[in-house]
Amino acid sequence: MKTSQIKIVENILNANDQIAEENSRMLREHHIYSINIMASPGAGKTSLILKTIQGLSNDLHIAVIEGDTAPVTIDADKVQAQGIPAVQINTGGQCHLDAPMVRSGLAQLTLNELDLVIIENVGNLICPAAFKLGTNINVVVASIPEGDDKPYKYPNIYRGIDALILNKIDLRPYIEFNETYFKKGIEILNPGVRIFDLSCKTGIGLSAWTDWLKEKIVHFKNE
Amino acid sequence: MKTSQIKIVENILNANDQIAEENSRMLREHHIYSINIMASPGAGKTSLILKTIQGLSNDLHIAVIEGDTAPVTIDADKVQAQGIPAVQINTGGQCHLDAPMVRSGLAQLTLNELDLVIIENVGNLICPAAFKLGTNINVVVASIPEGDDKPYKYPNIYRGIDALILNKIDLRPYIEFNETYFKKGIEILNPGVRIFDLSCKTGIGLSAWTDWLKEKIVHFKNE
């Protein structure tokens, strides 16, 4: 990139971070905990969100913001079918959510009634890493079929996240996946990050994730 | 985006397309057929390339250009282990290959000795769609575990491609995947596009792909 182009990219990122700060402040003022869920296409972001809703919606009022590159409401429909408000954001082909998009999503929700907002980012292991949204935590969903070398190939997305979900562990018998190699890669990028092995399909491992999350939210509400 | 930003994006794309044209001309002058392989992370691009090499390297001299967002040579090493020249391009975090990167990759190959150059794009279902590289054909590798809704969610990548590989069909018994729904989505975006169902793991369906490709290359060489 030329210097003028780099300058514009820097300006976009700075402007994004300012709005991410505003999102964070607005959410905190309403005592709403928030999560940004990132992953490769098909790793299981929506499945994880649906299972998280099932695990937490007895105790908490939840809403979901769905980021999509196209004007489809497939994921938002699945969330709404569970009786949970969902806002769909069409990025118009753009490869990630940014803070202004999340701000416009939040404006469509009744914030006074909510305890938790889950944001499903666009399926992409690269671009979302650069754009803060203003959430309390950032989570990446990985999955067994993607392969054990992803932390080595797409390192930026794993840096600075607060939890890693390793989904689709029900497929372990059918796919070669060196878990030691995978987790060593994660540990190098993000020492001590909490990792949850689970299967949204069978439900195994899910309660460890929802219990951890519930504790985070209770702690936040009592701050 | 502001008008000034849109203008810069347009300029970048126009400059890219010009260099893609130059790449195309240079490859044709050397009678080299070329393929751009795009996919989500972990769909099986490298596996497909390794199997394609096994199927064609008796008859053709092949080289591979590997696009990675990080300075890792995992894929390039796998190709070189088969005795095939491989050039690794580190995009420095960028989410796609572009034509100038491919030009610099081609400059590292002995073009006079080659019949086929396979380019493995960065794992991403969004950004690579916008950047022509100058290849004869563009191919997307999809896979059963990614889910059947991907054409509806990431439509741009499937438009204008010349073939679609549906990989990991050995996992069909273990994963819900509505093939009719998936292929209807592809057909809407790209009517009549050639689809190859195969498994790089078991080898099933691979010869249909390599035979089709061989025919394309023979036709190109006789033009």
Side-chain angles (χ1 to χ4, degrees):
Chain A
M1 280 196 286
K2 290 178 197 159
T3 315
S4 64
Q5 290 166 9
I6 290 171
K7 192 78 197 149
I8 282 183
V9 170
E10 276 175 5
N11 289 346
I12 290 171
L13 286 175
N14 288 342
N16 180 78
D17 286 1
Q18 275 176 29
I19 296 169
E21 271 299 314
E22 291 168 23
N23 290 345
S24 172
R25 205 178 313 129
M26 182 165 57
L27 286 161
R28 279 171 198 277
E29 278 168 12
H30 289 87
H31 311 289
I32 299 172
Y33 195 78
S34 55
I35 313 175
N36 171 25
I37 298 189
M38 301 174 283
S40 177
K45 293 184 295 303
T46 312
S47 301
L48 181 76
I49 290 170
L50 295 175
K51 293 294 179 182
T52 305
I53 289 170
Q54 284 172 20
L56 300 182
S57 60
N58 278 347
D59 303 314
L60 301 169
H61 292 98
I62 308 173
V64 175
I65 295 176
E66 289 287 349
D68 287 291
T69 66
V72 287
T73 57
I74 297 171
D75 294 339
D77 292 348
K78 286 181 188 169
V79 171
Q80 285 170 344
Q82 297 213 8
I84 298 293
V87 175
Q88 200 253 6
I89 296 180
N90 173 11
T91 68
Q94 205 169 299
C95 50
H96 58 272
L97 286 179
D98 60 25
M101 292 176 196
V102 169
R103 179 171 61 182
S104 77
L106 292 172
Q108 296 174 60
L109 293 169
T110 311
L111 297 182
N112 285 333
E113 296 173 358
L114 295 174
D115 303 301
L116 171 63
V117 170
I118 306 176
I119 301 170
E120 178 170 352
N121 218 310
V122 171
N124 185 330
L125 275 191
I126 308 164
C127 317
F131 289 83
K132 291 179 193 166
L133 304 182
T135 54
N136 290 86
I137 59 170
N138 295 292
V139 175
V140 164
V141 183
S143 71
I144 298 286
E146 283 168 48
D148 49 33
D149 57 2
K150 293 302 159 290
Y152 304 91
K153 288 185 178 172
Y154 304 89
N156 289 341
I157 200 93
Y158 304 96
R159 289 194 179 107
I161 56 167
D162 302 281
L164 177 87
I165 309 286
L166 179 56
N167 189 22
K168 305 194 191 183
I169 60 168
D170 55 292
L171 294 173
R172 274 178 183 151
Y174 317 112
I175 294 171
E176 274 178 54
F177 186 94
N178 184 333
E179 210 157 311
T180 309
Y181 177 63
F182 175 80
K183 290 185 177 172
K184 192 180 137 195
I186 299 291
E187 183 63 24
I188 291 166
L189 298 166
N190 197 336
V193 67
R194 189 63 196 265
I195 300 178
F196 297 94
D197 293 11
L198 56 82
S199 164
C200 289
K201 189 176 174 186
T202 67
I204 195 165
L206 264 163
S207 61
W209 153 250
T210 50
D211 288 350
W212 179 84
L213 186 57
K214 208 183 287 182
E215 203 173 297
K216 287 254 178 206
I217 297 168
V218 169
H219 183 78
F220 167 80
K221 291 263 187 187
N222 291 335
E223 259 174 11
Chain B
M1 277 196 289
K2 290 179 197 159
T3 317
S4 63
Q5 291 167 9
I6 290 171
K7 192 76 198 151
I8 281 183
V9 171
E10 277 175 5
N11 289 345
I12 291 171
L13 287 174
N14 288 342
N16 180 79
D17 286 2
Q18 276 177 29
I19 296 169
E21 271 299 314
E22 291 169 23
N23 289 345
S24 171
R25 204 177 313 127
M26 182 164 58
L27 286 161
R28 280 171 197 279
E29 279 169 12
H30 289 86
H31 311 288
I32 299 172
Y33 195 79
S34 56
I35 314 176
N36 171 26
I37 299 190
M38 299 174 284
S40 178
K45 293 182 297 300
T46 312
S47 301
L48 182 77
I49 288 170
L50 295 175
K51 293 293 179 183
T52 305
I53 289 170
Q54 284 172 19
L56 299 181
S57 60
N58 278 347
D59 303 315
L60 300 169
H61 293 98
I62 307 173
V64 175
I65 295 176
E66 289 287 350
D68 286 291
T69 66
V72 287
T73 56
I74 297 170
D75 294 340
D77 292 347
K78 287 181 188 169
V79 170
Q80 285 170 346
Q82 297 214 7
I84 298 293
V87 174
Q88 200 252 6
I89 296 179
N90 173 11
T91 67
Q94 205 169 298
C95 50
H96 58 271
L97 286 179
D98 60 26
M101 292 176 196
V102 169
R103 179 170 62 182
S104 76
L106 292 172
Q108 298 174 57
L109 293 169
T110 312
L111 296 183
N112 284 335
E113 296 174 357
L114 294 174
D115 302 302
L116 171 64
V117 170
I118 306 177
I119 301 169
E120 178 171 351
N121 218 309
V122 172
N124 185 330
L125 274 191
I126 308 164
C127 316
F131 289 83
K132 290 179 194 167
L133 305 181
T135 54
N136 291 85
I137 59 170
N138 295 292
V139 174
V140 165
V141 183
S143 71
I144 298 286
E146 283 168 48
D148 49 33
D149 56 3
K150 293 302 159 289
Y152 303 91
K153 288 185 177 172
Y154 303 90
N156 288 340
I157 199 94
Y158 304 96
R159 289 193 178 107
I161 55 168
D162 302 280
L164 178 89
I165 310 286
L166 179 55
N167 189 22
K168 306 194 190 183
I169 60 168
D170 56 290
L171 294 174
R172 275 179 183 149
Y174 317 113
I175 295 171
E176 274 178 55
F177 186 94
N178 184 332
E179 209 157 313
T180 310
Y181 177 63
F182 175 80
K183 289 185 176 171
K184 193 180 137 196
I186 299 291
E187 182 64 23
I188 291 166
L189 298 167
N190 196 336
V193 67
R194 188 63 194 267
I195 300 178
F196 297 94
D197 293 10
L198 56 82
S199 164
C200 289
K201 188 176 174 183
T202 67
I204 195 165
L206 264 164
S207 61
W209 153 250
T210 49
D211 288 351
W212 179 84
L213 186 57
K214 207 182 287 183
E215 204 174 295
K216 286 255 176 204
I217 297 168
V218 168
H219 183 81
F220 167 79
K221 291 261 186 190
N222 291 335
E223 258 175 11

